[in-house]
Amino acid sequence: MLRWFAEHGRRDLPWQTDPTPYRVWVSEIMLQQTQVATVIPYYSRFMERFPTVTALAKADLDAVLSHWSGLGYYSRARNLHEAAGLIVGEHNGAFPDTLDQAMALPGIGRSTAGAILALSKDQRHPILDGNCKRVLARYHAVPGWPGESGVAKRLWSHADAHTPDANVARYTQAIMDLGATVCTRTRPHCDVCPVADHCATGLTGTPEQFPGRRPKKIQPVKETRMLIVYSPDGSVLLERRPPAGIWGGLWSLPECATHEDPYEVCVQCFGLETASVDALPGFRHTFTHYHLDISPLTLAVTDDSTDIMERPDLLWAREADLEDRGLPAPVRRLLEDFFRMDESPCQERLTA
Ligand code: SF4
């Protein structure tokens, strides 16, 4: 593995130059559920804006979320920000030195903690991210879905047995790279694999049957109506979502259940009189556990009711304001389309 890594491993990823615990930590969190190619530009922008754990801890959550906008799974960004505060407050700004202390930080599980300490400090800890699960399940022909605790236990035990006492950082990067570039999800390249001679499923030509798939579940479908409430000066009302839950802490559009009257919602929730409701084309956004069918409605605020109550969770925003705010990607796209529509009511109002 190490010989293969020296020749074929990835050694020019941005977090591999100067692999401090902070830089490796941010990369590991971004790489959860996200491909390397997608992560690289986000990582570079994030590091430019928050170059140290202290800078991250001091930053406003909104600034952190806006640098995460488009990566999805926003609890990762909230946890990163909270953990940075704890590292500065409780560990004098230094990333914890032990697995248990690292795992006590929000958003850091056993595999992520192990990867950070192995890659940045060469400490001996096994890891079991998605790539390693696939390599180990195939190499040892471990049946079953790794999300089941019995299967995960077997894989952890194999991961531990393979982790060497020396060169841990290089071995850890090597097994990740092997999974990402050779032992790929479909059509693994067993012909060039450095461990093919001993791989149980490579030898029998059955690697794609491993690891077992997650049992299929039918995803429920939920519905919502998003209200694009625009003011006489052409700005749109944004509402900050509660800190916990889907899109927690992000700026989004007010929502209205399908059985509610959107005019009434505007009066009751924001004290705004609106007129001329129009429907825009609906679309589906898929979360891990359900689909959300979104029907956008535009509502024009009548000229004599432009004052919204002074609330920190409400904001009038123009198109230029969206960039610095943390918005869920589908809401950002919807608003960008709305502002740029040929006959956008905002354009009409701005030029009136
Ligand atoms: S031999 Fe094939 S299945 Fe086995 S680890 Fe290598 S690439 Fe994966």
Side-chain angles (χ1 to χ4, degrees), residues 135 138-139 178 182-183 188-190 193 195-196 199 201-202 207:
V135 172
R138 288 173 175 176
Y139 187 86
L178 188 75
V182 175
C183 195
H189 309 284
C190 303
C193 178
V195 298
C199 173
T201 67

Coordinates of all heavy atoms in Angstrom, one line a residue, residues 135 138-139 178 182-183 188-190 193 195-196 199 201-202 207, ligand 1:
V135 N -13.3 -0.7 0.7 CA -12.1 -1.5 0.5 C -12.1 -2.7 1.4 O -11.8 -3.8 1.0 CB -10.8 -0.6 0.7 CG1 -9.5 -1.5 0.7 CG2 -10.7 0.5 -0.3
R138 N -14.7 -5.4 0.7 CA -14.3 -6.2 -0.4 C -13.1 -7.1 -0.1 O -13.1 -8.3 -0.5 CB -14.0 -5.3 -1.6 CG -15.3 -4.6 -2.2 CD -15.0 -3.6 -3.2 NE -16.2 -3.1 -3.8 CZ -16.2 -2.1 -4.7 NH1 -15.1 -1.5 -5.1 NH2 -17.4 -1.7 -5.2
Y139 N -12.1 -6.5 0.5 CA -10.9 -7.3 0.7 C -11.2 -8.5 1.6 O -10.6 -9.6 1.4 CB -9.9 -6.4 1.4 CG -8.5 -7.0 1.6 CD1 -7.6 -6.9 0.6 CD2 -8.1 -7.6 2.8 CE1 -6.3 -7.4 0.7 CE2 -6.9 -8.2 2.9 CZ -5.9 -8.1 1.9 OH -4.7 -8.6 2.0
L178 N -6.9 4.7 -2.2 CA -7.1 3.4 -2.9 C -8.7 3.3 -3.2 O -9.1 3.0 -4.3 CB -6.6 2.3 -2.1 CG -6.7 0.9 -2.8 CD1 -5.6 0.8 -3.8 CD2 -6.6 -0.2 -1.8
V182 N -9.0 3.5 -7.0 CA -8.9 2.2 -7.6 C -10.0 1.3 -7.2 O -10.7 0.7 -8.1 CB -7.5 1.5 -7.1 CG1 -7.4 0.1 -7.5 CG2 -6.3 2.3 -7.6
C183 N -10.3 1.2 -5.9 CA -11.4 0.4 -5.5 C -12.7 1.2 -5.5 O -13.4 1.4 -4.5 CB -11.2 -0.2 -4.1 SG -12.2 -1.5 -3.6
P188 N -14.4 -1.4 -10.1 CA -13.1 -1.2 -9.5 C -12.0 -1.8 -10.4 O -12.2 -2.7 -11.2 CB -13.2 -2.1 -8.2 CG -14.3 -3.1 -8.5 CD -15.3 -2.4 -9.4
H189 N -10.8 -1.1 -10.3 CA -9.7 -1.5 -11.1 C -8.8 -2.5 -10.5 O -7.6 -2.2 -10.1 CB -8.9 -0.2 -11.5 CG -9.8 0.9 -12.0 ND1 -10.3 0.9 -13.3 CD2 -10.3 2.0 -11.4 CE1 -11.0 2.0 -13.4 NE2 -11.0 2.7 -12.3
C190 N -9.3 -3.7 -10.3 CA -8.6 -4.7 -9.6 C -7.3 -5.1 -10.3 O -6.3 -5.5 -9.6 CB -9.4 -6.0 -9.4 SG -11.0 -5.7 -8.6
C193 N -4.6 -2.9 -8.8 CA -4.7 -2.8 -7.3 C -3.5 -3.4 -6.6 O -3.2 -4.6 -6.9 CB -6.0 -3.4 -6.8 SG -6.2 -3.2 -5.0
V195 N -3.3 -4.6 -3.7 CA -3.6 -5.7 -2.7 C -4.4 -6.8 -3.4 O -5.0 -7.6 -2.7 CB -4.3 -5.1 -1.5 CG1 -3.4 -4.1 -0.7 CG2 -5.6 -4.5 -1.8
A196 N -4.4 -6.8 -4.7 CA -5.3 -7.7 -5.4 C -5.0 -9.2 -5.1 O -5.9 -10.0 -5.1 CB -5.2 -7.4 -6.9
C199 N -7.0 -10.1 -2.0 CA -8.4 -9.6 -1.9 C -9.4 -10.7 -2.2 O -9.5 -11.2 -3.3 CB -8.6 -8.4 -2.8 SG -10.2 -7.8 -2.7
T201 N -12.7 -10.7 -2.6 CA -13.6 -10.6 -3.7 C -13.0 -10.2 -5.0 O -13.5 -10.5 -6.1 CB -14.7 -9.5 -3.4 OG1 -14.0 -8.2 -3.3 CG2 -15.3 -9.7 -2.0
G202 N -11.8 -9.6 -5.0 CA -11.0 -9.3 -6.2 C -10.7 -10.7 -6.9 O -10.8 -10.8 -8.1
P207 N -16.3 -8.1 -6.5 CA -16.2 -6.9 -5.6 C -17.5 -6.1 -5.6 O -17.8 -5.5 -4.6 CB -15.0 -6.1 -6.1 CG -14.7 -6.7 -7.5 CD -15.2 -8.1 -7.5
Ligands
SF4_1 S1 -8.6 -6.1 -5.6 FE1 -10.3 -5.0 -6.4 S2 -11.9 -5.2 -4.9 FE2 -10.0 -5.8 -3.9 S3 -9.3 -4.0 -2.9 FE3 -8.4 -4.0 -4.9 S4 -9.7 -2.8 -6.3 FE4 -10.9 -3.3 -4.4

